[in-house]
Amino acid sequence: MSEKKLSANEYIKIDSNYLRGTIVEGLADLSTGSMCEDDQQLLKFHGTYQQDDRDLRANRRKHKLEKAYSFMIRIRVPGGVATPQQWLETDRLATEFANGTIKLTTRQAFQFHGIIKSNLKRTIAEINQVAMDTIAACGDVNRNVMCNPNPYLSKIHAQALKVAQDISTHLTPQTRAYHEIWLDGEKVESTEEDFEPIYGKTYLPRKFKITVAVPPSNDVDIYANCLSFIAIVEAGELVGYNVAVGGGMGSTHGNEATYPRIADVIGFCRPDQVVDVAEKVVLVQRDFGDRTDRKHSRFKYTVDDYGPDWILAKLNEYLGYELGSVREFVFEDNGDRYGWVEDDNGNSHLTLFISGGRVLDTPSYPMRTGLREIAKVHDGDFRLTANQNLIIANVSPANRPAIEKLLAEYGIKDSELKSALRLNSMACVALPTCGLSLAEAERYLPTLITELEESLEENGLRHDAITIRMTGCPNGCARPFIAEIGFVGRGPAAYNVYLGGGFAGQRLSKLYRENLPADKIKPLLAPIFARYAKERNEGERFGDFCIRNGYVTATVQGPDFHKNIKAEAFAKA
Ligand code: SRM
Ligand code: SF4
């Protein structure tokens, strides 16, 4: 591997002087709305992506205009916890600089879309003024660390959140470039003055993702992450964490060397070892990840190339001590628990379904305004979930009537009004901002679910939770390959359909139909829903039912993923 030429991004990083590149000069050039190619790559490390409005592309081309360039900004929110003040500022910035919406992402972060170049610096600076930041929200570094977002429900959750925040802080890049470029920090004159103690000059081969989960909830989808810590509770006390490595979703149509992968649980560590373990796993990937081919550089491929046993041995060597044996744990689901719950302290928490994670006002549903008014009086905090939903958390008994009044006033409806299928749905951004999307997702899944709800109603399945996820391409940003029903965009209004994922996100789904036109989805699934209603075993989940009845077979993990699933799909078509 070392003989092969490094990928182009490696040289961009080496030459960037710790992520500076020519970003400052590029921002100053207002003759174009875009940045040069190399700086676009570096900007990701600073938490922003150059995009263009794909709905406007054809028209602008016709009129010989530059693409409608703008920037997406991702705000890191470790563990997904934000104060009411941070919510209000995010809301203000969405109006002032972005497209008037706030996107809650599948990794518990905020995103803005539609920021023009001349507003980029000011927006990032103002995000930092409310103690949030965007560094390492994207790029070849550790990303937003996810954590089960209900810490006040028990002391275990609070400990897990603390661990997630500690990992996040420890793995945040140290380069002063971020402060220099966006916050007018003091300029560093020579490379020697800057230093990345963990990452080094070339950072990681590719993005790296970490979660902390508290069973029985797998809402952070540990099996889809590079590294996860699974809290182990014995006799009511947190005794440590199982360590899982090598999960990931991204793949590319037609490139069978790329595939989604479920993480392996390889060991156990004490709470005080977690940050060290996280660092050393990152170092193993830094040193052994493939830097020659970005399609093969995620940690999941390092784990497959060397094998989980080798990874464990190397990790133990880097740690200087050995991980313990895996302890028992059970995950029951990977969804959110909707509605109000009360904790031991008498505070309440309300989980709200946010379709596609998009917080916006429509003429019939002024949700964003309602949440803004709630933030003005809220004495607790807001929690973003890994399912793109929102928890109004830690509402004191005294304040709950005021919050309830505002919820009613703005029609922020109870989740009970929605089908269990919808409440267990996720869609990635896709069109019009994502440059990689091949089909709609966020803008189409709600309509498709309305169609599917008709057959669920006919079969008495309205209250049966089934996980359903859609992405506009196989990068898998809404983790479709572990949903019970997954749709992955192939082209305009055409999707690969996957079935058989595990309800707790513990098993990959399998390809059931390839390149299916969107209008054929309901006719395809309606008969399966009908059989499921009649023939399922007691408590049997939809994904398990699909496997038991031969719609798909259970997944074979690893590099043969595509070969296996294709043979089956074609046999059935
Ligand atoms: Fe993602 C790239 C949006 C979670 C796998 N993802 C992108 C980009 C930045 C497109 C690009 O590179 O130009 C998308 C921006 C769209 C837009 O307009 O906003 C994008 N990803 C998202 C978000 C916003 C989806 C959402 O609707 O919530 C999620 C932001 C998470 C965050 O806050 O950090 C998001 N992306 C994920 C996840 C889920 C997760 O992390 O749990 C995955 C699958 C897990 C994984 O990483 O394996 C994911 N995104 C990818 C990939 C495939 C990586 C790979 O292994 O090949 C890409 C493409 C790439 O990196 O080259 C990608
Ligand atoms: Fe874009 Fe594909 Fe990710 Fe959806 S899955 S946001 S289309 S990269």
Side-chain angles (χ1 to χ4, degrees):
M1 239 176 252
S2 56
E3 317 251 302
K4 288 207 313 206
K5 196 172 173 324
L6 294 177
S7 67
N9 284 55
E10 292 301 312
Y11 295 102
I12 296 174
K13 287 182 271 183
I14 292 169
D15 294 340
S16 75
N17 184 14
Y18 294 99
L19 309 180
R20 288 170 177 79
T22 55
I23 292 174
V24 170
E25 294 79 352
L27 288 173
D29 176 7
L30 296 182
S31 66
T32 165
S34 72
M35 299 282 282
C36 75
E37 297 266 333
D38 286 7
D39 287 342
Q40 284 180 42
Q41 295 304 319
L42 296 173
L43 278 172
K44 296 179 186 179
F45 292 78
H46 297 259
T48 179
Y49 274 70
Q50 180 175 309
Q51 303 183 317
D52 72 285
D53 187 332
R54 293 180 60 183
D55 287 347
L56 304 180
R57 262 189 203 173
N59 195 270
R60 296 193 58 103
R61 200 180 306 124
K62 200 166 119 200
H63 293 95
K64 297 194 167 47
L65 291 169
E66 184 177 79
K67 285 179 182 167
Y69 290 117
S70 66
F71 291 80
M72 174 268 269
I73 294 181
R74 192 175 286 163
I75 306 175
R76 246 175 9 139
V77 190
V81 183
T83 63
Q85 175 63 14
Q86 289 170 331
W87 183 276
L88 286 171
E89 278 302 289
T90 305
D91 181 79
R92 179 183 68 78
L93 293 170
T95 305
E96 240 169 81
F97 300 121
N99 65 358
T101 73
I102 305 167
K103 169 84 181 180
L104 313 183
T105 76
T106 55
R107 290 198 73 77
Q108 300 181 296
F110 291 119
Q111 268 187 204
F112 293 135
H113 290 101
I115 311 227
I116 55 169
K117 187 163 112 176
S118 53
N119 284 332
L120 194 54
K121 180 169 172 174
R122 186 162 163 204
T123 311
I124 292 180
E126 294 195 13
I127 288 168
N128 278 266
Q129 279 166 18
V130 276
M132 295 194 290
D133 66 29
T134 65
I135 187 167
C138 322
D140 298 345
V141 282
N142 174 55
R143 303 289 189 87
N144 198 39
V145 179
M146 292 211 280
C147 178
N148 180 288
N150 267 325
Y152 288 86
L153 289 184
S154 77
K155 66 176 184 204
I156 309 295
H157 285 96
Q159 287 168 295
L161 176 65
K162 171 81 171 52
V163 152
Q165 289 167 337
D166 289 349
I167 296 169
S168 175
T169 305
H170 188 70
L171 296 177
T172 300
Q174 298 296 302
T175 175
R176 283 140 70 189
Y178 185 82
H179 285 82
E180 224 177 273
I181 296 171
W182 309 106
L183 310 176
D184 291 329
E186 203 183 315
K187 204 165 175 337
V188 166
E189 296 301 339
S190 97
T191 315
E192 281 72 55
E193 289 179 34
D194 228 334
F195 181 52
E196 283 289 4
I198 294 174
Y199 296 112
K201 259 189 161 181
T202 49
Y203 295 83
L204 294 179
R206 206 60 160 83
K207 58 176 79 164
F208 195 89
K209 299 185 172 179
I210 301 180
T211 69
V212 181
V214 184
S217 173
N218 183 28
D219 55 359
V220 292
D221 267 335
I222 68 124
Y223 294 104
N225 279 266
C226 302
L227 168 65
S228 290
F229 295 94
I230 305 161
I232 302 297
V233 180
E234 288 171 4
E237 295 298 323
L238 179 78
V239 293
Y241 295 85
N242 280 341
V243 179
V245 297
M249 293 281 103
S251 61
T252 305
H253 290 311
N255 180 350
E256 297 199 350
T258 65
Y259 49 88
R261 187 180 191 283
I262 290 286
D264 296 294
V265 185
I266 60 165
F268 170 85
C269 68
R270 294 195 315 262
D272 62 304
Q273 295 171 326
V274 170
V275 172
D276 191 27
V277 172
E279 180 193 303
K280 298 305 183 300
V281 175
V282 163
L283 294 188
V284 171
Q285 166 65 352
R286 181 197 67 185
D287 297 345
F288 295 93
D290 184 353
R291 290 180 185 264
T292 66
D293 175 4
R294 286 181 70 79
K295 294 262 179 224
H296 187 258
S297 52
R298 294 294 302 274
F299 187 47
K300 63 182 173 183
Y301 300 117
T302 317
V303 172
D304 261 348
D305 290 349
Y306 290 90
D309 292 344
W310 184 94
I311 296 285
L312 176 60
K314 187 53 73 181
L315 174 60
N316 287 339
E317 181 192 319
Y318 275 34
L319 287 167
Y321 53 86
E322 296 204 345
L323 290 188
S325 320
V326 173
R327 308 265 177 114
E328 276 192 26
F329 66 98
V330 177
F331 284 128
E332 289 173 358
D333 57 55
N334 62 353
D336 288 337
R337 291 156 175 75
Y338 292 97
W340 285 102
V341 288
E342 260 178 47
D343 66 22
D344 303 342
N345 305 321
N347 288 337
S348 309
H349 314 261
L350 174 67
T351 304
L352 294 170
F353 173 72
I354 310 285
S355 184
R358 187 69 66 171
V359 178
L360 80 173
D361 282 343
T362 65
S364 59
Y365 189 23
M367 173 180 43
R368 186 158 86 90
T369 304
L371 290 172
R372 183 188 313 127
E373 293 308 313
I374 287 172
K376 287 180 188 166
V377 301
H378 185 27
D379 56 0
D381 50 43
F382 289 94
R383 305 203 167 211
L384 318 189
T385 82
N387 287 297
Q388 302 174 314
N389 293 317
L390 181 66
I391 304 176
I392 302 173
N394 288 307
V395 179
S396 67
N399 214 26
R400 184 161 160 174
I403 303 277
E404 301 236 40
K405 187 163 170 281
L406 287 167
L407 289 167
E409 194 177 327
Y410 288 93
I412 300 179
K413 293 182 200 70
D414 205 21
S415 311
E416 280 164 29
L417 298 174
K418 302 188 170 67
S419 71
L421 183 76
R422 196 177 296 274
L423 293 175
N424 283 280
S425 66
M426 269 211 288
C428 74
V429 181
L431 293 165
T433 52
C434 179
L436 305 177
S437 62
L438 305 167
E440 296 282 355
E442 184 189 315
R443 295 196 295 196
Y444 172 56
L445 185 62
T447 313
L448 175 64
I449 290 177
T450 304
E451 287 173 23
L452 296 177
E453 278 169 346
E454 288 170 17
S455 54
L456 293 174
E457 291 284 358
E458 282 164 19
N459 292 292
L461 294 173
R462 184 181 173 80
H463 300 295
D464 287 81
I466 299 171
T467 56
I468 182 168
R469 296 174 176 181
M470 177 177 276
T471 57
C473 84
N475 283 316
C477 298
R479 303 184 289 270
F481 303 111
I482 44 177
E484 294 181 288
I485 306 173
F487 302 102
V488 173
R490 280 301 299 253
Y495 298 86
N496 282 358
V497 181
Y498 292 78
L499 295 178
F503 186 70
Q506 80 284 13
R507 181 180 62 228
L508 288 172
S509 55
K510 279 209 169 181
L511 185 63
Y512 180 58
R513 286 292 183 274
E514 199 172 26
N515 208 8
L516 189 78
D519 61 359
K520 299 277 190 305
I521 292 174
K522 187 183 168 197
L524 179 79
L525 294 181
I528 309 179
F529 288 146
R531 271 192 76 190
Y532 177 58
K534 288 196 196 83
E535 298 173 25
R536 64 182 152 170
N537 293 331
E538 177 76 30
E540 188 174 29
R541 291 291 175 191
F542 186 74
D544 301 337
F545 175 85
C546 288
I547 291 174
R548 184 171 64 81
N549 286 280
Y551 290 103
V552 286
T553 57
T555 327
V556 178
Q557 168 99 321
D560 284 338
F561 178 77
H562 294 285
K563 280 190 202 117
N564 290 321
I565 63 176
K566 274 207 171 148
E568 274 175 36
F570 289 127
K572 283 184 192 311

